[in-house]
Structure formats: structure tokens, C-alpha cells
Amino acid sequence: MIKLLLIQPENAEIKRWRRRQFNNFSQITMPYLAAFVDSRYFEITIIDEYNQKIPYSNNFDLAAITVNTPNAPHSYQISEKLRKAGVKVVMGGPHVTLMPDEAMQHADFIVAGEGEEVWPVFLEEFRLGNPKQVYISESPPRLDSLPAPRWDLVKRAPMMKGAVFATRGCPYNCRYCNLKQIYHAGFRKRPVIEVVEELMMSKSRFFVFWDDNLFADGIYAKELMRALAPLKRKWAAQATLKDCNDDSLLELAKAAGCLYIFAGIESFQESSLKDAGKEINQVDVYSHIIDKIHSHGIMVQAGIVFGFDSDTEDIFDKTLYTCEKLGIDGATVSLLTPFPKTPIYEQYKKEGRLTKEDWSHYNGKTAVAFSPSNMDEAQLWEGYARFIKRFYSIGSFIRRMSVSRTNILVNLAINLGYKLGIRKNVD
């Protein structure tokens, strides 16, 4: 029996940030990859560093590490320690897909791209003793007849194990987003019945869709909502604001249990949206669509990014004012991060504006990794931190709720949770 360790890494900086937040669901990657492992030949252990320590002394034969960009240096340290102990290491995930040559210097094997087809091939060849060093997903894998994630292997509360994906990819082309570099082209969908059957296996009444844009295909989304309604679960999902401008879809989503939608608003300034390559967002219709979402009893969690080339020092106050005016229920606020291989990364690299070489600074939360156009790095960080503290103040909450009037008690709990965490993270 081959002893397999699956690691969801978390460096200390981001672990501190996540621990101080209210709503942290389990990452789906490792439970999902575990579902493809043949238990006749492999004994599986999943470790999520968010709340577990890596058992380096347990004599594993193989360790698999999923690597995102800010966790890359930490993942390489984990790999070095495991390899010194005689453990073979395979790496995959977004950063490996973006930077395969770099990752190969720190692992015995890499799996780049979408894993549904190449991951099982690697496992079988490893079992037979003839693995290759590099496995690359050459074509889009089928998303039907997929195995259900092995949540039974995750050591967390049942409520925090609720995650599922129904679609993959996004039809849009934002300049700061690396989805186009990570996934094969095209927006793809799982059979609705298979998504529902997977959710029926879960004990959690609450779950999140791990999709990047659940509503991108309105016809599919409506079919999915109708199928979800009988389950009587509560959930959240990510969608582009443009794709929420559909009363019939929102009505079905509410009936299916939607609590809130994470909408990638990014900015309330047209010039910044142009910098982002997100001109599908139209500032003049924000109010109309947000009011429409609220009218169906669904909260809006806005994705907001600071640091675009058009942003000046007054962007923080203007954004807070607009959030309160529109009744934005919550906000996930990030510093613009030039992820490798994205158009913005290539632009900033050419212009000599990348100021950090350590990938751990590319997390969008705790550090500025580039030189902004209209302010310095310290001004961007200070404005970002000030905005978060003011947005999650009691006064701002009252002003926002006087407009939103949506799920007040749930909204209060979520905002207080963020307030407690944010106060510790940015003070």
C-alpha cells in the first residue's frame, strides 16, 4: 500500500489572515483530487495547513502539494523537507501551471493544468514504478461522471465542508485575472443532475459554489436553480454583476436558497475598469442591478480592488461613499496583484514596476507587489487598510443596511465577523 499525503499549504501570513475571518470554508482541491485515487493501492491522508500540521515523520511514499502563487515559496520549503526525508513530491495547481520550469526545480514531478485526466495517469504510472517528471493537460477534460470529493478525509466541521463546482472558466478577459492562463479555453458545465446528486451526499445545510462565474450561462444557471430548490440548502456563489441583471434568474436563485452573491465589481470608476479590462461592468447600471438583487432578498458581497493605474488617493473615500449609497452588504477588498503570465504582470514587468520578487507578497491582502501610477506603495496600502476599517465600522454598516434592508441578522453576523478579523489584520 502506497502512503499518499495530499497537502493544502498555507503560509503563516495568510493563515493568520484567514483565521481572523468569519467564514472560511474548506478548500475543495485536495478532497476532489483524493476522489480520483484508487484506494486499493493508496492510503490517503489529507492535511490542510489552515488547521493542521504536516506530519513529516509519518514515512509517506508520495506527497502531492497544490500550489498557488503566494504559497509557492512556502510550498517549496515543504517539498524540500519532505524530499530530505525520502518522500517523493509531486506539485500541481495554479502556480505550477503558470511557472512549470520554476516548480520543477522544487519537486520530483509536476502536474500542470486541469487534473481530471493527467492526475490519474500520474498515479498509475507512479504505482507501476515508471512515472514521468512532467504531466501536462493537453486538452479540456470532460466534466461529466466525476467522482464526489472525499470530504470524509477532511478534519473540519461539517458546515465548513460544503463546497461544489458546477462550471469551469469564465467567458470574460480581465487583464489582472489568470483564469485564461490556468484553464483550457471555453466556459464548461457539469450535468445538473450530477451536481445535485453530489450535494445530496453532503451533510452541510450551507455550501459555496467554487465556480468563477456561476451565472455566465443563464439557461444552464436557471436549470441548476430549479434542480437545487427541493434540497432546501443555503448557499453563496460568485457571478459577474452583468449576469445578475435577470429577474427570473434571481427569483429562481432565491427559491433555490441563495443567500449572497459575490460580484466582481472591482471599481466604481470607469477608467479603473478600463485598466482592468473589465468594461463588461458598467458603473451607470450598478445601482439598478444591485437594487434588483436586493429586491429578491439576496445580499451582495462586492469584490473591490485598489491599485489600478487610474486610481488616485481619493479612490478610497469615493469607493466607501458609493458602497454606502448603493447598500453594498459586504466587501472582499484586495490590493491589485500582478499574477504571473497575466497581461498586467507582463505590462508591469516590461515597465520595471514589479517591486517584489518573493511570490509570498503576491497575495492581494498583506503587501503591495508593484509600483502604482498615482500614489506610492505606502499610500496604496494605507488607503486600502483605512477603507477596510471604515467599511466594517458600525456606522458604515448602519448606513449600508438602511439602503440594502436585506437579511439584516445574517448581514450583521457576517459584518461583525469581518470586523473582528479585519481589526486584527490591518491595525
Side-chain angles (χ1 to χ4, degrees), residues 197-424:
E197 287 174 349
E198 183 177 316
L199 285 168
M200 290 174 67
M201 296 169 60
S202 172
K203 297 178 182 179
S204 177
R205 290 184 56 243
F206 303 91
F207 71 93
V208 292
F209 278 103
W210 220 252
D211 305 52
D212 296 296
N213 191 350
L214 184 65
F215 292 170
D217 183 326
I219 294 173
Y220 173 85
K222 290 176 184 179
E223 181 187 355
L224 179 61
M225 297 302 104
R226 294 187 188 98
L228 285 177
L231 274 59
K232 299 191 181 302
R233 306 287 179 89
K234 299 295 183 183
W235 51 272
Q238 180 170 303
T240 299
L241 205 60
K242 168 182 172 292
D243 296 318
C244 295
N245 193 17
D246 183 334
D247 277 304
S248 60
L249 175 55
L250 293 173
E251 183 177 354
L252 289 168
K254 179 60 177 179
C258 182
L259 281 175
Y260 69 85
I261 291 171
F262 175 91
I265 287 173
E266 319 314 349
S267 179
F268 297 97
Q269 186 168 272
E270 292 281 6
S271 56
S272 297
L273 292 172
K274 185 176 181 180
D275 293 338
K278 196 159 189 173
E279 288 146 299
I280 53 165
N281 278 8
Q282 299 294 319
V283 173
D284 59 351
V285 297
Y286 276 3
S287 179
H288 169 72
I289 299 175
I290 291 168
D291 286 348
K292 183 174 291 190
I293 296 171
H294 283 153
S295 73
H296 290 279
I298 298 172
M299 297 178 287
V300 176
Q301 179 83 6
I304 296 173
V305 178
F306 291 123
F308 293 112
D309 278 352
S310 296
D311 290 353
T312 54
E313 280 194 86
D314 61 355
I315 190 71
F316 310 105
D317 291 339
K318 287 181 176 179
T319 301
L320 181 64
Y321 170 79
T322 307
C323 285
E324 294 176 351
K325 180 182 177 182
L326 298 181
I328 297 294
D329 300 280
T332 300
V333 189
S334 301
L335 296 156
L336 179 63
T337 302
F339 288 113
K341 301 296 178 71
T342 60
I344 276 186
Y345 176 87
E346 298 300 337
Q347 174 193 338
Y348 289 1
K349 183 177 181 180
K350 182 179 180 180
E351 295 172 352
R353 293 171 57 192
L354 298 176
T355 59
K356 302 288 193 300
E357 295 183 358
D358 184 343
W359 292 124
S360 64
H361 295 297
Y362 286 68
N363 60 51
K365 301 297 180 187
T366 66
V368 179
F370 69 101
S371 177
S373 283
N374 292 306
M375 57 186 115
D376 60 34
E377 292 180 49
Q379 289 169 324
L380 176 54
W381 166 260
E382 290 163 5
Y384 154 83
R386 184 174 68 251
F387 172 86
I388 294 174
K389 286 188 282 189
R390 292 175 66 194
F391 181 91
Y392 282 109
S393 68
I394 296 299
S396 179
F397 175 74
I398 292 171
R399 288 188 288 274
R400 289 183 283 113
M401 287 308 98
S402 68
V403 178
S404 168
R405 302 182 183 278
T406 306
N407 298 329
I408 300 296
L409 292 179
V410 175
N411 236 323
L412 177 62
I414 293 174
N415 274 262
L416 284 176
Y418 272 104
K419 178 179 174 60
L420 292 173
I422 294 300
R423 183 178 61 192
K424 296 176 182 177

Side-chain angles (χ1 to χ4, degrees), residues 172-188:
Y172 306 116
N173 295 284
C174 302
R175 296 181 64 244
Y176 60 90
C177 179
N178 57 18
L179 289 179
K180 299 298 183 184
Q181 291 77 40
I182 294 171
Y183 295 137
H184 291 289
F187 181 75
R188 288 163 285 148

